[in-house]
Amino acid sequence: MSESGIRENLKEVENNIASACQKAGRDRSEVTLIAVSKTKPVEMLKEAYDCGCRDFGENKVQELLDKYEALPDDIRWHMIGHLQRNKVKYIVDKVYMIHSVDSLRLAEEISREAVKKNVKVKILIEVNVANEETKFGTTCEEAVQLVRDIAGLPNILVKGLMTIAPYVDDEEKNRCYFQKLKKISVDIMRENIDNISMETLSMGMTGDYRTAVSEGATYVRVGTGIFGVRPPMLKGEEK
Ligand SMILES: *Cc1c(COP(=O)(O)O)cnc(C)c1O
């Protein structure tokens, strides 16, 4: 028995994903659960690992590196938080995917470091679909052009799009944003840009992953629903 309830929480999340897939006529294998472990201690990640989790999401470079060192090497680490260009070099050969690319300058830095370390880096373009002032991400209008610009950079693989929907009490309110992200990905796919894939849609968090799955999410990023509540963010910290 897990004292923290992680095993039970994971079961519940798994059931919810499975039933959302079923209702939407999707195969369960189309959706990967990312356990968002930011602020949580290594022991809790180990517990989730022992329950079968292999995809973990972190939003801070140093924290990701510490956990990377401490945990088994078959984990796929997802960088889901805002990434400063001067920190790219520390993670470029350690992360499985960077979900939060929202500028050409950041992509250029990732490309440069990836070439140096001779790795290929999978990235997603973060789109601020709800146009929230507090959030990072490119605008819907700029997303296609950004993908075109990034497409030519060496050692970068654009795999799709990511969004962080608004915090809402009723997840139905976010359905339109998930639909919008899906639509942008279809529009980009139609452009037939070389070296670009739109197979990945990273959308849905604890409050809205069921709706996200029903609208086509291939990654859902669940933190609170697995590990419990986090301490409140400090002033100045990003959403
Ligand atoms: C913290 C975070 C999550 C997880 O949020 P929960 O509401 O705890 O599930 C997902 N995505 C990103 C980008 C985050 O920063």
Side-chain angles (χ1 to χ4, degrees), residues 37-38 57-60 63-64 67 77-81:
S37 46
K38 62 191 188 196
E58 290 286 336
N59 68 341
K60 294 216 166 80
E63 193 176 340
L64 189 152
K67 289 171 174 172
W77 293 99
H78 297 262
M79 179 60 192
I80 61 173

Side-chain angles (χ1 to χ4, degrees), residues 88-105:
V88 167
K89 57 178 174 286
Y90 302 117
I91 60 161
V92 95
D93 55 345
K94 302 193 170 61
V95 291
Y96 177 75
M97 192 178 276
I98 299 173
H99 290 230
S100 44
V101 178
D102 62 356
S103 73
L104 181 59
R105 289 175 78 199

Side-chain angles (χ1 to χ4, degrees), residues 37-139:
S37 46
K38 62 191 188 196
T39 78
K40 299 296 177 184
V42 164
E43 302 78 68
M44 289 180 84
L45 280 74
K46 186 73 180 33
E47 209 175 317
Y49 180 91
D50 290 338
C51 295
C53 287
R54 292 296 179 272
D55 290 271
F56 288 86
E58 290 286 336
N59 68 341
K60 294 216 166 80
V61 166
Q62 190 56 54
E63 193 176 340
L64 189 152
L65 291 172
D66 291 344
K67 289 171 174 172
Y68 175 94
E69 289 303 326
L71 287 157
D73 60 12
D74 61 341
I75 288 177
R76 292 178 289 265
W77 293 99
H78 297 262
M79 179 60 192
I80 61 173
H82 182 65
L83 180 57
Q84 289 172 308
R85 278 178 293 135
N86 61 354
K87 294 191 175 161
V88 167
K89 57 178 174 286
Y90 302 117
I91 60 161
V92 95
D93 55 345
K94 302 193 170 61
V95 291
Y96 177 75
M97 192 178 276
I98 299 173
H99 290 230
S100 44
V101 178
D102 62 356
S103 73
L104 181 59
R105 289 175 78 199
L106 175 59
E108 284 170 342
E109 181 63 19
I110 294 170
S111 172
R112 201 173 307 129
E113 290 299 327
V115 169
K116 266 194 217 167
K117 299 212 160 71
N118 197 24
V119 292
K120 291 212 157 79
V121 183
K122 298 195 254 302
I123 67 158
L124 303 177
I125 306 301
E126 180 174 355
V127 186
N128 183 358
V129 275
N131 242 319
E132 289 182 284
E133 269 181 32
T134 52
K135 292 208 171 114
F136 294 102
T138 178
T139 64

Side-chain angles (χ1 to χ4, degrees), residues 36 38 59 80 162 164 205-207 221-225 230:
V36 176
K38 62 191 188 196
N59 68 341
I80 61 173
M162 178 271 221
I164 306 174
M205 305 170 34
T206 296
R221 310 177 308 266
V222 179
T224 311
R230 291 178 297 273

